[in-house]
Amino acid sequence: MVNESPPPLLSIVVPVYGVEAYLYQCLESIRADIPAGEAGAVELIAVDDASPDRCGDMLRSYAAGRSGIRTVHLSSNVGLGLARNAGLEVAAGRYVWFVDSDDWLPPGTIPAVLDRLRQHEPDVLMLDHLRVHEDGRREVDASSHLLHGISGVVRLADQPQLLRVQHTAWNKVVRRAFLDELELRFFPGWYEDIPFSHPLLIGAEKISVLDRICYLYRQGRLGAITSTRSGRHFDAFDQYERLMDWVRRRHPDEQLQAELFQLMVNHYLVVVGNDDRLHPHLRRAFFQRVAEHYRRYLPAAGYPPPAGITGLKHRLVGRNDYLAYAALRQAHRVAGRLRRPAPPAGEAASGRAADDAPGESAGDHPASGATDNVRNDALAGRGNP
């Protein structure tokens, strides 16, 4: 009689594209963190999304002779979301965690994750992270405080602020059967996390929060889409339509729709004001699409607009007044330059944050005005084309 090994508790899916400089650090941070005696509890699935560099060969070499590592090599590039789906299709674990291949895990993460999964058996386990800059500086995310002080198992109704935590796939470990119950998969295109991450929290009966740093999120990588000017930023509209359609069909709650509506408009305002994402000749068209979504999804009972400049921008979107918005944006850019201290003699000024209006290119977290000075690349997705 053959004794079959039990399936792993956790499958870690790593989509790989154009990250040969970072890939080994990512894979090693996972494999080296698996506790002795727990090798069967974790499987690592790396998906080569037809990477144009040496990543495919690196994965073959890395997997050779190492147990618990599976590789999937796609024949053509499908993008980050569909590459995650490809890894999910072969994942055998009870839980799945999507880790981006240019990021990495701090020591002690996997033992803590496994312990919490066994202790609480949640639908979703939420994790905290730090953002790591190219100079090594580590920065707390502006939404991390929303994870503090939550013990036991909760629902979103108990802790509604969790909806405002950075909505990415990689800060959540998800029960695989729960994903199937919600019929959730990633869609193609940029901003793929939008119709995936929010439904997880909305539909979960059991949410657990691991209030410790479990993920190191790399900032400033060349090729990140948040620093790429492209018409593909218009993909955000398709992704929000998918999210709103899912919510309307499965959770038609007016308060929830009002909360998501404000987050959506805040996010759009970040994108439309960001010189690194939209070429100036696309800005008016993007703004008009934002105004269209504002009219389409405005809750019947209204919503609480944010205060200050962000609230003013909301009102301008509601009136589809691009000229007033553009004038406001330009005024803040000028004011930013006036406030900016002059560089020392003979030294050129560096950076561009002060040239941008508050809440525009300097920030990408839609939760509140307090996060306007924080760049949050993951709301837009990164990596694969």
Side-chain angles (χ1 to χ4, degrees):
M1 180 176 180
V2 178
N3 292 323
E4 293 187 2
S5 299
L9 176 62
L10 176 63
S11 297
I12 301 179
V13 175
V14 181
V16 177
Y17 182 88
V19 291
E20 64 178 46
Y22 312 112
L23 180 58
Y24 184 78
Q25 180 184 27
C26 175
L27 299 177
E28 274 294 283
S29 74
I30 296 170
R31 193 185 68 87
D33 203 40
I34 300 174
E38 291 271 39
V42 181
E43 68 170 354
L44 170 58
I45 301 171
V47 181
D48 170 22
D49 189 16
S51 186
D53 54 9
R54 296 176 50 251
C55 284
D57 292 336
M58 291 173 68
L59 288 179
R60 293 183 184 91
S61 175
Y62 191 84
R66 290 185 171 97
S67 61
I69 301 173
R70 305 169 66 185
T71 59
V72 177
H73 297 271
L74 303 181
S75 59
S76 60
N77 176 255
V78 297
L80 179 58
L82 299 189
R84 286 172 174 167
N85 289 346
L88 181 62
E89 288 305 308
V90 301
R94 183 181 174 197
Y95 286 87
V96 62
W97 184 8
F98 299 100
V99 171
D100 285 354
S101 52
D102 54 345
D103 300 329
W104 71 104
L105 311 183
T109 292
I110 290 181
V113 167
L114 294 177
D115 180 67
R116 183 56 61 88
L117 293 178
R118 289 174 174 137
Q119 179 185 2
H120 286 170
E121 298 186 339
D123 297 323
V124 181
L125 173 61
M126 301 186 69
L127 311 171
D128 200 0
H129 71 283
L130 290 176
R131 295 176 306 139
V132 184
H133 296 263
E134 289 297 304
D135 61 3
R137 178 171 55 90
R138 297 189 174 193
E139 183 180 9
V140 175
D141 187 79
S143 69
S144 290
H145 70 283
L146 301 174
L147 297 171
H148 299 338
I150 299 176
S151 59
V153 175
V154 300
R155 300 178 62 208
L156 186 62
D158 306 319
Q159 301 286 343
Q161 79 277 7
L162 292 178
L163 197 65
R164 293 175 173 262
V165 174
Q166 180 171 330
H167 63 273
T168 63
W170 47 254
N171 65 357
K172 300 173 185 68
V173 181
V174 188
R175 185 167 61 86
R176 169 62 186 272
F178 173 60
L179 273 182
D180 295 339
E181 291 165 13
L182 295 186
E183 300 178 326
L184 285 181
R185 291 297 186 270
F186 292 96
F187 289 96
W190 288 5
Y191 299 85
E192 73 291 325
D193 285 345
I194 289 170
F196 181 86
S197 184
H198 283 315
L200 292 176
L201 301 180
I202 294 168
E205 293 294 328
K206 298 172 66 177
I207 300 172
S208 179
V209 174
L210 187 53
D211 186 10
R212 60 167 284 161
I213 302 302
C214 293
Y215 196 91
L216 298 174
Y217 169 39
R218 190 182 305 276
Q219 302 291 285
R221 180 177 71 82
L222 185 65
I225 73 165
T226 47
S227 58
T228 302
R229 279 186 174 183
S230 172
R232 293 187 65 184
H233 289 288
F234 282 75
D235 288 358
F237 297 106
D238 293 335
Q239 305 291 17
Y240 270 110
E241 287 173 6
R242 289 165 177 144
L243 169 63
M244 294 303 196
D245 178 65
W246 186 92
V247 171
R248 187 159 42 198
R249 286 186 293 106
R250 303 190 62 143
H251 293 272
D253 177 86
E254 288 188 4
Q255 183 175 349
L256 174 63
Q257 291 176 4
E259 177 82 1
L260 288 173
F261 178 83
Q262 184 189 120
L263 291 173
M264 176 187 73
V265 176
N266 285 354
H267 192 185
Y268 284 155
L269 286 170
V270 168
V271 179
V272 73
N274 194 316
D275 283 334
D276 289 337
R277 302 194 201 181
L278 287 179
H279 191 279
H281 79 270
L282 294 176
R283 186 164 288 117
R284 182 191 290 267
F286 194 97
F287 185 92
Q288 290 171 342
R289 288 288 303 276
V290 178
E292 177 190 334
H293 269 199
Y294 188 102
R295 293 190 299 271
R296 183 189 308 183
Y297 296 113
L298 179 65
Y303 75 108
I309 294 298
T310 304
L312 175 57
K313 293 176 185 177
H314 276 241
R315 291 193 292 274
L316 295 178
V317 168
R319 298 203 301 262
N320 194 15
D321 193 342
Y322 177 75
L323 292 179
Y325 165 79
L328 176 66
R329 179 175 182 272
Q330 182 61 27
H332 276 276
R333 290 167 65 88
V334 171
R337 285 193 289 268
L338 292 176
R339 290 192 302 266
R340 186 176 181 176
E347 186 175 310
S350 62
R352 55 184 306 172
D355 289 336
D356 298 302
E360 293 176 350
S361 68
D364 193 14
H365 198 292
S368 68
T371 63
D372 283 346
N373 64 340
V374 177
R375 179 175 296 280
N376 179 346
D377 295 341
L379 289 181
R382 296 182 301 159
N384 311 32

